[in-house]
Amino acid sequence: MSAELEAKMEKAVEATRREFARLRTGQASPAILNDVKVDYYGTLTPISQVATVKSPEPRMLFVSPWEKQLVDPICKAILAANLGLNPSKEGDGVRVAMPILTAERRQELAKMAKKHAEDGRTAIRNLRREANDAVKKNKELPEDQSKKDIENIQKITDKFIGMIDAALAEKEADILKV
């Protein structure tokens, strides 16, 4: 049971880390464009499936589409994603400069990171509650064994909440670094 619980909690931590990756910091990260979808022959397709996204400089992304006619749709998709980015065509690709974040915007992003972390913690607590309920419903378990199981569930929960807290601290430091 604990291995299954740990696998579910690991997924919650990974989901939180993916949310953190989407938050824009002062550094350019290809993960920022993960949710951007391009109109590819009438189908909305993630940028990563129609182009290569690289970070040649700390504050610059370069998107190299696999087909030349995708340059304009990629520009439109990045603008439509409301990420605060301004793409520009450059030869057979799209250059995306990362604007410098204002102190106010950094604080806003830090709040968003805290919200994503709290969502992850809530998901883990819900998994803990479900596991505890399953232990309590199992009448065949001796009382001392069910207490040990509940303590073990709490230890696992604390471990994964600690992982989210560590990821949050790292992301906040990255966001607030000037």
Side-chain angles (χ1 to χ4, degrees), residues 38-54:
V38 179
D39 182 10
Y40 183 64
Y41 297 109
T43 304
L44 288 179
T45 309
I47 277 189
S48 61
Q49 293 182 11
V50 296
T52 304
V53 182
K54 294 181 185 170

Side-chain angles (χ1 to χ4, degrees), residues 11 13 21 25-26 29 36 43 45 55 59 61 65 72 91-92 94 126 141 145 162:
K11 287 180 184 174
V13 170
T25 61
S29 167
V36 178
T43 304
T45 309
S55 180
R59 295 195 41 246
L61 290 176
D72 284 333
D92 292 341
V94 178
N126 288 339
L141 274 179
Q145 182 61 44

Side-chain angles (χ1 to χ4, degrees), residues 75-131:
C75 284
K76 289 177 186 171
I78 292 171
L79 283 171
N82 286 328
L83 296 171
L85 302 175
N86 195 7
S88 60
K89 288 190 257 182
E90 187 174 290
D92 292 341
V94 178
R95 186 169 294 280
V96 183
M98 306 300 283
I100 296 173
L101 296 174
T102 63
E104 189 177 286
R105 180 67 178 147
R106 288 179 191 278
Q107 293 299 324
E108 223 175 273
L109 289 170
K111 279 184 185 176
M112 289 172 67
K114 287 178 183 172
K115 182 194 174 303
H116 292 314
E118 188 53 41
D119 291 346
R121 287 189 210 106
T122 301
I124 288 174
R125 285 189 211 108
N126 288 339
L127 291 167
R128 175 190 63 193
R129 181 178 36 79
E130 290 170 12

Side-chain angles (χ1 to χ4, degrees), residues 140-151:
E140 296 172 12
L141 274 179
E143 190 176 325
D144 61 335
Q145 182 61 44
S146 67
K147 283 185 179 180
K148 284 181 184 175
D149 287 351
I150 288 174
E151 286 175 10

